[in-house]
C-alpha cells in the first residue's frame, strides 16, 4: 500500500471532482466527487481476455489446436467479457453502450477474419457473441443489486 505525502495510506482510488457548469469555483467549494478505481482486477482481466480473444480469432486456423465447440467458445468468451464490463461500469445506459461496443468489437473481429488465411466472416459466430452478451445484459440488474 502506498502512502500519500501526508503519510496517510492510499487505497488505489483517486477522487475526481467535476464542476457543474465547468466553473473552478464549484470545485473549490467542494463540488460533487466521483471515486474512480484504477487498474482493478476486472479491468486487468478484461484487457487480458480481450487480447487473448483478438489473438485467437485473428490467427490462421492451422495455428490453432482442434477446438471442441467453436460457438460455445464464442458464447463464453463474449459472455465473460460482458460480465467483466458489467462489474466495472454502472448500470443503465452506460452499461448498454458498453455492451453495444463489445458487440461491435466482435463484429469488427469477424470482418477482419476475411483478411486472415483460412478464416472467414461467420454470422453464427456473431450470433454466439450476441447471445453471450445478451445473457449477461439480462442478468446485469441482479449483478448490480448485489454489488
Amino acid at each position: 500500500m502506498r502512502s500519500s505525502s501526508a503519510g496517510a495510506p492510499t487505497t488505489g482510488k483517486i477522487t475526481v471532482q467535476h464542476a457543474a457548469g465547468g466553473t473552478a469555483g464549484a470545485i473549490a467549494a467542494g463540488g460533487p466527487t466521483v471515486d474512480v478505481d484504477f487498474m482493478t482486477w476486472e479491468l486487468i482481466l478484461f484487457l487480458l481476455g480481450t487480447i487473448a480473444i483478438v489473438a485467437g480469432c485473428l490467427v490462421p486456423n492451422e495455428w490453432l489446436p482442434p477446438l471442441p465447440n467453436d460457438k460455445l467458445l464464442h458464447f463464453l468468451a463474449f459472455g465473460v467479457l460482458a460480465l467483466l464490463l458489467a462489474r466495472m461500469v454502472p448500470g443503465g445506459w452506460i452499461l448498454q453502450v458498453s455492451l453495444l461496443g463489445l458487440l461491435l468489437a466482435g463484429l469488427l473481429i469477424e470482418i477482419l477474419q476475411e483478411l486472415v488465411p483460412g478464416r472467414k466472416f461467420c454470422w453464427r459466430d456473431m450470433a454466439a457473441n450476441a447471445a453471450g452478451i445478451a445473457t449477461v445484459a439480462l442478468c446485469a440488474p441482479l449483478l448490480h443489486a448485489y454489488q
Side-chain angles (χ1 to χ4, degrees):
M1 187 175 289
R2 295 173 292 162
S3 293
S4 67
S5 59
T10 59
T11 62
K13 288 190 176 191
I14 57 174
T15 299
V16 177
Q17 288 187 332
H18 86 71
T23 62
I27 292 174
T33 63
V34 177
D35 283 332
V36 179
D37 247 343
F38 59 93
M39 294 307 289
T40 61
W41 67 268
E42 291 100 339
L43 178 59
I44 293 168
L45 288 177
F46 180 81
L47 293 174
L48 290 174
T50 300
I51 291 168
I53 290 167
V54 169
C57 289
L58 295 180
V59 298
N61 263 343
E62 62 264 7
W63 293 10
L64 297 173
L67 301 174
N69 186 333
D70 179 53
K71 304 310 174 250
L72 179 61
L73 292 176
H74 277 267
F75 176 86
L76 292 174
F78 279 83
V80 167
L81 288 180
L83 179 63
L84 291 168
L85 269 178
R87 289 188 47 84
M88 288 189 294
V89 301
W93 71 270
I94 295 174
L95 178 60
Q96 292 171 358
V97 169
S98 299
L99 294 177
L100 178 60
L102 182 59
L103 184 62
L104 291 175
L107 177 63
L108 179 61
I109 289 170
E110 288 298 320
I111 290 170
L112 290 174
Q113 283 185 342
E114 289 289 332
L115 303 174
V116 179
R119 305 298 288 264
K120 61 184 169 70
F121 183 95
C122 180
W123 282 108
R124 290 174 297 181
D125 287 349
M126 274 305 302
N129 297 348
I133 294 168
T135 300
V136 171
L138 292 172
C139 297
L142 296 173
L143 178 68
H144 286 284
Y146 293 104
Q147 268 188 333

